[in-house]
Each structure stands twice: as C-alpha cells, then as structure tokens.
Amino acid sequence: SCSASTLDARLFFERENELLRQRYHEEYLASYTYNTNVTDENRQAMIAVYARNAVQNKQLAEKIKSSDYTQSEDADVRRQALHLSKMGASALDPDDYLALQNAISSMQSNYATTNVCSYTNRSDCSLSLEPHIQERLSNSRDPAELAWYWREWHDKAGTTQKENFAEYVRLTRKAARLNDHRSYADYWVQFYEDADFERQLDASFKQLLPFYRQIHGYVRYRLRQHYGEDVVPAEGNIPMHLLGNMWGQSWNEVIDLFTPYPEKPFVDIKASMVQQNYTVQKLFELGDQYFQSLGMRALPPSFWNLSLLTRPDDRQVVCHASAWDFYQDSDVRIKMCTEVDMHYFFVVHHELGHIQYYLQYEQQPAVFRGAPNPGFHEAVGDVIALSVMSAKHLKTIGLTENGRLDEKSRINELFKQALSKIVFLPFGYTMDKYRYAVFRNEIEEPQWNCGFWQMRSEYGGVEPPVPRTDKDFDPPAKYHIDADVEYLRYFAAHIFQFQFHKALCSLAGQYAPNDSRRTLDNCDIFGSKEAGRALSKFLSHGSSLHWKVVLQEFTGETEMDTSALLEYFDPLYQWLKQENSRLGVPLGWGETNKIPS
Ligand SMILES: C=C(C[SeH])C(=O)N1CCC[C@H]1C(=O)O
Ligand SMILES: [Zn+2]
C-alpha cells in the first residue's frame, strides 16, 4: 500500500514525464534539422526551441525543489525527483541562456564548416576533415605534409573560436553557481552518482599507465627508425602529426609503421569490402543483423527512412557521428558521413549501440530514458564491435579466411586493438582533466593553450608538430570541446566495455578462464540468445536504478575495474615488456619543448 501523498506524487511525475517527453521530442527534431543542414536559420530555430524548453525545465526543477518529493517513502519518486531537480544551463536567465547556446552552436557550426587548403595545391581550400584531411593523416608519410594539415586544422578550427569558448566558460560557470555547484566540472561529475568518481578515474589511469608507457616507447622507437632522429626524439614526446589521427587519440591508422611482426601482414579488410561490393547500407545491415542474432531489437523502418548515413553534396552537415533518440514511436536515427572501410565499420557499431540502448529503455518514463552512468552509453556499441572485429567473426561474415590466429598474428591484432583502446586512455583522461581545470579556474585564461599542451604531454607523451603559444588556441579543434560534450564517458566506456565483454562471452560459452581456445580476444557472441537476454535486461533499466545496482545484476561487479581489460591484452603486454627490453627501448618522456618553458 502507499499513502495518498505517494499516489499524488506518482500522478505528478506521470504528467510531468509526458510533458518532458514532448519537450525532448521537439528539441531533438530541431537539433537534427540543424545538424543535417547547417544554416544560421536552422541554428537560430534550434536555439529558440531550447530556450523555450529551458524555462519549462527550470519551472519543473523549482516545483520539485519546493516539494517534499525527494523525501518520499517511494524510492522511485525520490529518484525521479533527484534527477529532475538537476538544472544545468536552464538555471540561467533567458538572455544568458541564449548567449550560451549561441556560443556553443557557433563553435559547432565552425567545426562543421571548416575547410583547409591542400598541401599539394594551395589554391584548393575545399578540404574537409572527413574524409579528406583524415585520409591524408592516415596515408601520407611526409612529415611536412602531415604538419601542414595539423596546423591548418588547429588554426582554423581551434584558434578562431577562443572568444566563443571564453563566453562558454563564463556562462557555464554562472549556471553551475546558480545550482550551488562549485563549478561546471562538479555539475558534470554528478552524473556519475559516485562521490568517489574522480579518485577512481585517477586510480584506473595509474593502473593502465605502465602498459601505455610500453606501447608509447615501442611506437616512438619504431617511428624513429622510420622517420629518423631529426623527426622523432629518442626519449621525448612523440610529434602527434605522425600518428594517423588529428588529435592523437588512436594510432591504429598508421600501424603499418610499427607492426610487431611485419612478415605477418594484416588482412586488408577494406580491400575485401570493396571486392565484395560492400555499401554503406551493407555496414548498417550487418550491425542490425548482429543485434537481431542476439534476440535484441531490430532497427525500425523509420531508422532507414530518416537517418543520414552519408555526407550529402547539396548542403553542410555536422559530419561527426551521432545517434539520435526522438522520444516518440521508436523514432531513432544515426547521422554520420560513412565511408566503406574498417574505421567506419567500427563507428557504425558504436552508434548502433546507442540506438539499441534507446530502443531497450523506451518504455521508461522520460526522466529515466538514459544511461545510469554516462560511460555505459558509450560502451554498448564498442562491446559488440569487440566481437565483430574478432578474427572469428570476420571469417563468419567472409571478410577474412583465417578465423584463428597464430601467436604472431595474434600479437599483431592485439597491438592494433591496443592502438585504439589503450592509446585512447590518456587522451580521454586529458580532455576532461583539462576542462575541469579550466572550469575550476585552476588554469587561468592567459595559460589556457599552453596548459592544454602541458597536460597532453604530461599524461600522454605527445606534442604538437610545431611550437604553440597562448596566442594560439587549440582545444576547439576537437568536436566535443565545441559541442559541450563531456568526455570522461569515453574513458569510462573503454574500461567498462571489457567488463561487459567478459560477462557476455562467458554467457555465450565463448570464454572460460585459463582455456587457451576460449580467450577474450577471440570471443564472438554472435547468435547467443543467452548473452542477448542479459544485455537487453541491462539496457532496459535505463537510468531508473543506480549504475552499481544494474552493473551488479549484469556482471556481478559493483565498480569500474581494469582487470578484464588487462586480461584481454595480457599476451601483448608481456610481449612488449620483453621486446622493449630486448631492443633497449627507453620508456617514459620528458616535458614538451613545443610550448614556452
Ligand atoms: C563516435 C562518437 C560519437 Se558518440 C565519438 O564522439 N567518439 C567515439 C570514440 C571516442 C569519441 C570521439 O570520436 O572522440
Ligand atoms: Zn558514442
């Protein structure tokens, strides 16, 4: 039985959740219209919807704060009240709110529309990040050309946005204070519902640093062999323009420069795709079929009709991949500028993971249609991709012949995985350690750029190809910094995904401890209804329960834990330690000399 006041509370939240769902629906429609057609008119229209809804969200939060719902006897009422009283930017007055949304959307528009001039044809200034500049960073082996594209992009996508970013810092700080947070960083941290979160992050990073140092040392050694000592220092920071990615967040695009066993070549999956007439549509169909093989939700017809899966040639779009929930009639979509290659095959699964989450929790009240830990949402697709990219599965779908690797090929494949999964960690960690420091005014505005590069060097041992000063401003060269997207969700996801993978592989009978035929790096859960049932149950909770409760039901654990990740990569870690000592590879790095000391 429950008291009249609880019945009254439930009615209140039922009504408010329906209104909130409608607000989400119109917000995401307006945002999708802008993201798939970047014009100032669409940008203004989107902000107008945000502003109108912010007033409603603020009123709801204030109504709840003046009630006793957070003390209700009903745990579900308490949790809904807690979530809905968290005001972010909507705490700002209307003028400040509009100014903040203008700053953020202006940075996003700049990022989406920045083009750079070709290194080989300076009069052609039409090159976009995806696919043109990324193709050069992956395939050019000319340090001068790579440095050209690094600098063009950072000058045009970064430095030009300094004023907008300063306005963003000022107004998010004001919003955080209005909500009694010490800073906007503390507003972000509260979404992990764990007072110990930042300490756990630091502990996880420290646990993984020795492994990263082995990878960093080996890569620097091999890069120096290839490019020579004038380009790559023996013991200093790695110049990041050589690493195959604009931000140095994953290095697998240039793995052919440092394959552990070059005599065991990688299968060229892209060539197989091209040879088999793969289309973008096919990549998404394979992903859809994977989830269906687990007994999970199929993509609804509206997904295929309303998504934007390739870059259109008649308008500007925000190419950065994203998945969308329109909070109505299972209307879920992906927007990305897909190309047919292995990188996008991975991104397709990453985004379909978000889509599956949306579909699994759509029955929850609007307030609980999200992940209980931001890292969970970013981990789902990656977990499936760990199975999809295994030699076993690539053979199943006919992209390779060999479904079981010999020891040397296994080291090569584990190294390729580590060049995105382990290399990513210092990058992900720094993205928000830096923004926390800026939001908390621990780095002051005149040092914002040098502070950024000092942290990238301290945590990851990478540096710009050219000297940078505080006259430059490089952070907005990264999408998430422009778009006000918190980033530690990806760091957490890179650890959680191995915990999820181990649990699912066990359920699928694909993994057993100490069974050399059933290791984590060659597990493929394809077709396992057992695994699918567990994953569906995990996702269907949405954020209705604390993430530790939901995690415990799924994997038996209650913490973010690096053990599964280290178990997955152990053969490589042991190999690297031996190889680096055999070669006499120096480990670690000093301070970067690319910023004024
Ligand atoms: C693919 C997405 C959209 Se949620 C993304 O932003 N990711 C996925 C991996 C890390 C991060 C990035 O690109 O920086
Ligand atoms: Zn994502």
Side-chain angles (χ1 to χ4, degrees):
S1 75
C2 50
S3 64
S5 68
T6 300
L7 281 176
D8 163 63
R10 283 187 182 160
L11 273 176
F12 170 83
F13 282 106
E14 203 170 299
R15 191 171 55 251
E16 290 300 340
N17 271 299
E18 173 51 20
L19 294 173
L20 180 65
R21 187 197 62 73
Q22 290 169 19
R23 292 202 290 276
Y24 283 155
H25 178 66
E26 59 179 36
E27 258 170 58
Y28 285 107
L29 278 180
S31 180
Y32 192 75
T33 300
Y34 162 70
N35 274 266
T36 55
N37 188 359
V38 177
T39 64
D40 214 50
E41 180 193 358
N42 287 340
R43 188 178 69 82
Q44 301 283 2
M46 170 183 70
I47 299 177
V49 174
Y50 283 6
R52 197 169 64 239
N53 286 347
V55 172
Q56 303 296 319
N57 293 333
K58 182 174 180 177
Q59 280 175 6
L60 173 57
E62 284 166 347
K63 219 184 285 181
I64 290 168
K65 282 183 175 180
S66 63
S67 77
D68 57 0
Y69 291 141
T70 50
Q71 275 76 45
S72 162
E73 65 195 0
D74 181 311
D76 194 63
V77 165
R78 285 199 304 273
R79 187 166 176 83
Q80 292 207 38
L82 175 82
H83 271 57
L84 289 174
S85 54
K86 286 179 187 171
M87 271 187 286
S90 55
L92 293 169
D93 69 42
D95 293 349
D96 281 342
Y97 183 85
L98 271 176
L100 174 60
Q101 294 304 335
N102 264 311
I104 295 170
S105 57
S106 299
M107 288 192 283
Q108 261 212 296
S109 287
N110 180 69
Y111 185 91
T113 59
T114 292
N115 292 321
V116 304
C117 306
S118 161
Y119 176 69
T120 50
N121 171 6
R122 303 293 162 89
S123 62
D124 173 8
C125 297
S126 68
L127 277 67
S128 57
L129 181 69
E130 294 179 63
H132 309 116
I133 302 173
Q134 185 50 58
E135 184 280 330
R136 291 289 72 217
L137 293 172
S138 300
N139 298 320
S140 168
R141 295 292 179 266
D142 171 359
E145 176 174 28
L146 292 166
W148 166 270
Y149 286 112
W150 188 94
R151 182 184 217 146
E152 275 279 285
W153 179 259
H154 279 78
D155 288 352
K156 292 180 176 175
T159 306
T160 61
Q161 299 308 301
K162 174 130 191 205
E163 289 69 31
N164 278 327
F165 185 79
E167 181 74 338
Y168 163 74
V169 171
R170 182 178 73 80
L171 289 166
T172 51
R173 177 170 293 148
K174 191 169 183 180
R177 294 278 158 77
L178 285 169
N179 294 313
D180 304 323
H181 291 300
R182 290 202 330 277
S183 75
Y184 192 55
D186 298 280
Y187 167 71
W188 273 1
V189 166
Q190 75 171 332
F191 287 98
Y192 290 87
E193 286 194 79
D194 183 348
D196 198 30
F197 175 69
E198 286 187 70
R199 193 203 56 71
Q200 277 180 41
L201 270 184
D202 297 343
S204 302
F205 181 68
K206 282 189 182 57
Q207 281 161 21
L208 298 165
L209 200 48
F211 185 18
Y212 176 74
R213 283 159 54 91
Q214 293 288 337
I215 296 168
H216 179 278
Y218 185 76
V219 166
R220 177 177 56 197
Y221 178 87
R222 294 289 301 273
L223 274 179
R224 186 175 162 87
Q225 279 184 325
H226 181 86
Y227 283 114
E229 55 195 32
D230 297 344
V231 178
V232 183
E235 305 191 27
N237 291 267
I238 300 176
M240 61 194 294
H241 63 314
L242 306 174
L243 293 167
N245 175 277
M246 182 60 78
W247 311 279
Q249 71 187 68
S250 62
W251 306 346
N252 54 302
E253 289 291 329
V254 291
I255 187 167
D256 53 289
L257 291 173
F258 25 80
T259 306
Y261 293 103
E263 73 277 11
K264 307 286 282 184
F266 287 100
V267 175
D268 183 345
I269 306 289
K270 178 171 178 171
S272 304
M273 288 178 171
V274 169
Q275 192 207 340
Q276 297 179 38
N277 300 318
Y278 265 52
T279 59
V280 164
Q281 179 81 10
K282 168 85 172 173
L283 299 184
F284 283 90
E285 285 166 358
L286 283 170
D288 183 27
Q289 286 154 21
Y290 202 102
F291 281 102
Q292 291 190 53
S293 84
L294 302 173
M296 298 180 83
R297 291 286 299 273
L299 292 172
S302 56
F303 171 86
W304 301 103
N305 299 332
L306 301 174
S307 291
L308 184 137
L309 304 182
T310 51
R311 179 194 273 268
D313 52 18
D314 61 349
R315 61 191 192 281
Q316 295 275 22
V317 297
V318 174
C319 266
H320 191 84
S322 54
W324 296 69
D325 184 357
F326 291 90
Y327 286 83
Q328 189 163 290
D329 308 329
S330 302
D331 183 356
V332 290
R333 307 176 202 175
I334 286 176
K335 168 200 60 59
M336 61 187 272
C337 303
T338 318
E339 305 277 332
V340 175
D341 66 25
M342 203 58 173
H343 166 71
Y344 281 101
F345 193 34
F346 167 76
V347 177
V348 162
H349 286 86
H350 177 92
E351 298 310 330
L352 286 176
H354 290 301
I355 295 293
Q356 188 64 216
Y357 219 152
Y358 299 152
L359 294 171
Q360 290 288 347
Y361 59 47
E362 65 181 353
Q363 300 311 323
Q364 293 285 347
V367 63
F368 291 149
R369 291 174 71 167
N373 181 308
F376 286 6
H377 231 301
E378 297 305 337
V380 181
D382 286 12
V383 172
I384 301 301
L386 285 174
S387 278
V388 170
M389 303 301 173
S390 69
K392 188 183 288 180
H393 191 72
L394 291 175
K395 177 175 173 30
T396 301
I397 57 176
L399 281 174
T400 57
E401 270 78 50
N402 179 5
R404 182 159 169 70
L405 304 173
D406 61 43
E407 255 329 282
K408 290 182 177 179
S409 295
R410 187 188 184 201
I411 292 296
N412 281 352
E413 287 297 335
L414 280 173
F415 192 64
K416 192 172 193 177
Q417 274 287 53
L419 290 175
S420 65
K421 301 295 184 186
I422 308 301
V423 157
F424 179 83
L425 296 168
F427 173 78
Y429 187 69
T430 309
M431 276 298 107
D432 280 354
K433 277 292 184 185
Y434 168 74
R435 284 191 286 184
Y436 284 11
V438 165
F439 294 151
R440 290 170 171 158
N441 210 28
E442 290 159 5
I443 301 179
E444 308 217 341
E445 186 163 349
Q447 286 78 39
W448 276 357
N449 203 45
C450 293
F452 177 72
W453 291 117
Q454 187 280 327
M455 289 178 93
R456 293 282 280 119
S457 168
E458 177 183 348
Y459 292 122
V462 298
E463 66 181 15
V466 292
R468 301 305 269 181
T469 71
D470 277 310
K471 287 188 178 45
D472 307 304
F473 189 56
D474 297 309
K478 179 64 186 169
Y479 170 79
H480 301 71
I481 305 251
D482 297 291
D484 180 36
V485 177
E486 182 262 358
Y487 209 83
L488 283 174
R489 62 186 64 178
Y490 300 104
F491 179 93
H494 274 66
I495 295 168
F496 280 130
Q497 66 186 255
F498 290 94
Q499 296 173 251
F500 299 172
H501 182 62
K502 185 171 177 178
L504 293 172
C505 293
S506 303
L507 286 167
Q510 287 280 313
Y511 165 79
N514 312 315
D515 177 343
S516 65
R517 296 198 63 78
R518 288 191 289 168
T519 56
L520 289 174
D521 62 313
N522 205 25
C523 147
D524 174 15
I525 65 171
F526 187 76
S528 168
K529 297 296 184 286
E530 191 76 23
R533 245 190 312 280
L535 185 53
S536 297
K537 187 162 173 48
F538 173 67
L539 300 180
S540 61
H541 291 301
S543 56
S544 63
L545 297 169
H546 193 282
W547 66 268
K548 296 188 179 190
V549 172
V550 177
L551 181 67
Q552 173 142 49
E553 177 191 80
F554 181 33
T555 72
E557 302 153 308
T558 58
E559 300 297 334
M560 179 168 70
D561 183 320
T562 58
S563 310
L565 179 152
L566 289 169
E567 180 181 347
Y568 180 98
F569 285 104
D570 193 57
L572 173 70
Y573 190 18
Q574 301 316 319
W575 182 85
L576 274 171
K577 283 190 277 192
Q578 286 159 13
E579 188 69 357
N580 281 338
S581 58
R582 182 177 73 82
L583 295 170
V585 169
L587 301 180
W589 52 87
E591 290 192 357
T592 177
N593 60 14
K594 290 294 186 297
I595 54 177
S597 49

